[in-house]
């Protein structure tokens, strides 16, 4: 399977954020390729079946979960003080799905003339590292500080790469 992640962080003037994380999963096994004749399930079938788990930051509030644009009811638990959102997927060869988790976070740390926003993310160990794109959007009339490795254009900071290493970045946001 191939995965890609788009993480859109829309900052608010008080330092809180609305975050939309979209995970796209593609089962790249060609539909015409028989892996094992008669196998309807399991590794030899070519199906990609999994429970997709998304950790949210401590204190985050889950707003909505969708799969392919339609609302779904995820399993929600707490693990190590963090909300954990889980949705099952089962993809036949050649199928794709898109899972979106939207949540809000608490306020950032106030600073002179603005606030500080911290973004952290840990990769999942997979055979093929997923593609990752993160867009952090400043509130109207505010600007983001540059972070190493991030491209800044207008009021948006963007990071795009393979998700192989942990991310721990802080942005200063000022009016």
């Amino acid at each position: 399977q191939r995965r890609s992640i788009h993480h859109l962080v829309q900052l608010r003037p008080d330092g809180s954020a609305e975050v939309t994380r979209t995970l796209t999963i593609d089962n790249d096994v060609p539909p015409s390729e028989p892996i094992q004749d008669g196998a309807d399930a399991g590794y030899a079938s070519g199906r990609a079946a999994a429970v997709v788990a998304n950790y949210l930051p401590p204190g985050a509030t889950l707003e909505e979960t969708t799969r392919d644009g339609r609302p779904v009811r995820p399993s929600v638990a707490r693990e190590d003080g963090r909300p954990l959102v889980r949705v099952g997927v089962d993809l036949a060869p050649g199928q794709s799905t898109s899972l979106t988790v939207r949540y809000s976070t608490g306020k950032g740390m106030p600073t002179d003339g603005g606030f500080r926003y911290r973004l952290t993310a840990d990769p999942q160990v997979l055979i093929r590292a997923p593609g990752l794109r993160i867009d952090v959007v400043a509130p109207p009339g505010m600007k983001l500080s540059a972070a190493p490795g991030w491209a800044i254009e207008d009021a948006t900071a963007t990071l795009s790469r393979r998700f192989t290493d942990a991310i721990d970045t802080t942005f200063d946001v000022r009016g």
Side-chain angles (χ1 to χ4, degrees):
Q1 65 178 263
R2 187 171 33 92
R3 293 185 184 194
S4 62
I5 303 164
H6 181 223
H7 197 79
L8 174 62
V9 179
Q10 295 175 296
L11 297 173
R12 298 177 182 135
D14 67 357
S16 65
E18 180 175 300
V19 180
T20 304
R21 181 183 302 148
T22 302
L23 173 67
T24 302
I25 303 171
D26 300 306
N27 183 353
D28 283 346
V29 173
S32 61
E33 183 177 314
I35 305 254
Q36 180 179 344
D37 288 339
D40 292 330
Y43 186 76
S45 73
R47 296 190 79 81
V51 173
V52 179
N54 280 271
Y55 283 100
L56 307 184
T61 302
L62 179 63
E63 302 291 339
E64 178 182 45
T65 305
T66 63
R67 180 168 173 205
D68 298 326
R70 292 182 300 277
V72 294
R73 185 181 306 259
S75 167
V76 180
R78 293 194 70 73
E79 189 171 289
D80 293 328
R82 297 173 64 184
L84 175 62
V85 178
R86 297 180 287 210
V87 175
V89 297
D90 185 0
L91 301 174
Q95 284 187 323
S96 296
T97 193
S98 182
L99 176 67
T100 299
V101 177
R102 188 172 54 81
Y103 61 92
S104 57
T105 66
K107 295 179 181 181
M109 180 187 305
T111 62
D112 288 339
F115 61 90
R116 181 165 291 136
Y117 179 79
R118 182 176 180 197
L119 185 143
T120 61
D122 294 313
Q124 177 184 10
V125 177
L126 297 170
I127 292 171
R128 277 189 196 171
L132 173 68
R133 179 184 170 117
I134 302 173
D135 294 305
V136 179
V137 181
M142 299 184 90
K143 297 215 182 278
L144 297 165
S145 64
W150 291 71
I152 302 242
E153 186 174 322
D154 297 325
T156 302
T158 301
L159 177 71
S160 188
R161 64 176 174 93
R162 288 277 165 218
F163 195 15
T164 55
D165 299 310
I167 297 168
D168 190 352
T169 300
T170 302
F171 294 96
D172 286 320
V173 184
R174 291 195 163 80

